[in-house]
Amino acid sequence: MTQKERQEHSRQEILRAALEEFGRRDYDAVNMEQICKNHGISKGMMYHYYSGKDELFLLCVRDTFERLTAHVEAGMAQLGEGDALGSIQRFFLLRESYFQDHPERKRIFENAMLRPPEHLREEIWRLWEPLRRMNRAFLERMVRTMPLRPGLEPERVIRYLESTEASFRSLLLHDQEESEGKDLHTVLGVGAEMLDLILFGVLRQSADQV
């Protein structure tokens, strides 16, 4: 093994350890000493490659975002163009299917997006930007094919769907916390019900309101 290969191996070893620790605990509950102790990594090697916890956490966030982006991109390519509403529903659920297959990444994502360390918020948003742009391009394409209510501009609908994606994630997280052990089929079914409420509301319109 060459020196370059050994260095890359060491970096990957530290990354795997950090992913495991940040995947099991919130940001504030993880420290460098803990990572070293739990995974047999010397402090000398750790600090040779990484400056501290923030750099490691952002590395884990970047890796999670990149893998999630690849998963969503592959899933979006299979959604089709026919049923816009169904495609948007499945689009919202793509991320959940990824975290069902990779539960160790779920807490990292939630810590980054739902409760980010304040001093890292700007950098996390920058890392999220490629997926946000991809999401928006997909929503723009879908909204153009949807029969919108009179007076609703497509841009307004796109902004609404972007904002409800975060609300959807919070609602689904709350449901999962109350009912541990749900399989993927059940989780996706719950997600579809939530999306129905998000897209169509909860109040019945009377004849004079229509």
Side-chain angles (χ1 to χ4, degrees):
M1 183 181 293
T2 65
Q3 181 179 4
K4 184 177 181 179
E5 289 172 336
R6 286 195 298 272
Q7 291 174 337
E8 180 59 25
H9 176 78
S10 297
R11 287 181 178 275
Q12 290 302 313
E13 181 183 350
I14 295 172
L15 173 60
R16 284 192 294 270
L19 285 167
E20 183 175 332
E21 294 300 319
F22 286 116
R24 291 165 50 192
R25 300 177 178 87
D26 289 344
Y27 169 86
D28 289 337
V30 177
N31 57 61
M32 298 289 273
E33 290 74 15
Q34 182 184 66
I35 296 174
C36 291
K37 179 180 178 182
N38 291 347
H39 299 273
I41 299 171
S42 71
K43 290 184 179 181
M45 184 174 80
M46 173 68 81
Y47 286 103
H48 176 73
Y49 292 107
Y50 300 104
S51 61
K53 185 172 80 167
D54 287 352
E55 184 181 6
L56 267 183
F57 180 68
L58 289 173
L59 183 65
C60 292
V61 171
R62 178 194 294 274
D63 191 72
T64 296
F65 283 2
E66 288 178 349
R67 291 174 185 270
L68 176 60
T69 299
H71 173 84
V72 172
E73 189 172 28
M76 282 167 49
Q78 302 174 18
L79 292 182
E81 300 287 345
D83 177 12
L85 178 58
S87 293
I88 287 176
Q89 289 176 331
R90 292 190 294 276
F91 161 75
F92 269 62
L93 295 169
L94 277 172
R95 193 169 60 197
E96 304 316 312
S97 67
Y98 175 79
F99 290 130
Q100 285 288 318
D101 292 337
H102 304 88
E104 73 283 359
R105 305 275 180 163
K106 182 179 177 182
R107 187 182 293 270
I108 295 171
F109 179 86
E110 290 168 356
N111 281 331
M113 299 302 295
L114 301 181
R115 40 186 179 271
E118 188 60 36
H119 64 291
L120 298 179
R121 187 182 295 271
E122 185 175 339
E123 181 64 18
I124 289 171
W125 178 250
R126 188 185 67 79
L127 294 174
W128 176 250
E129 183 63 18
L131 184 54
R132 191 196 71 81
R133 288 199 304 267
M134 185 176 68
N135 290 350
R136 171 167 266 267
F138 172 77
L139 291 174
E140 287 175 345
R141 191 167 73 248
M142 291 295 104
V143 167
R144 283 198 297 267
T145 70
M146 296 172 66
L148 303 179
R149 281 170 38 196
L152 278 182
E153 295 295 328
E155 178 61 26
R156 183 180 173 190
V157 176
I158 292 166
R159 289 199 305 269
Y160 168 72
L161 290 173
E162 285 182 315
S163 67
T164 54
E165 185 184 6
S167 300
F168 168 77
R169 176 66 194 151
S170 296
L171 288 169
L172 194 58
L173 175 62
H174 180 266
D175 181 83
Q176 288 174 298
E177 288 175 346
E178 289 189 342
S179 305
E180 291 294 333
K182 288 186 177 180
D183 60 19
L184 177 59
H185 178 76
T186 303
V187 169
L188 297 186
V190 170
E193 292 175 4
M194 291 179 181
L195 280 170
D196 181 76
L197 294 176
I198 288 172
L199 293 172
F200 297 108
V202 298
L203 297 179
R204 181 180 60 192
Q205 288 184 312
S206 60
D208 60 346
Q209 290 177 306
V210 177

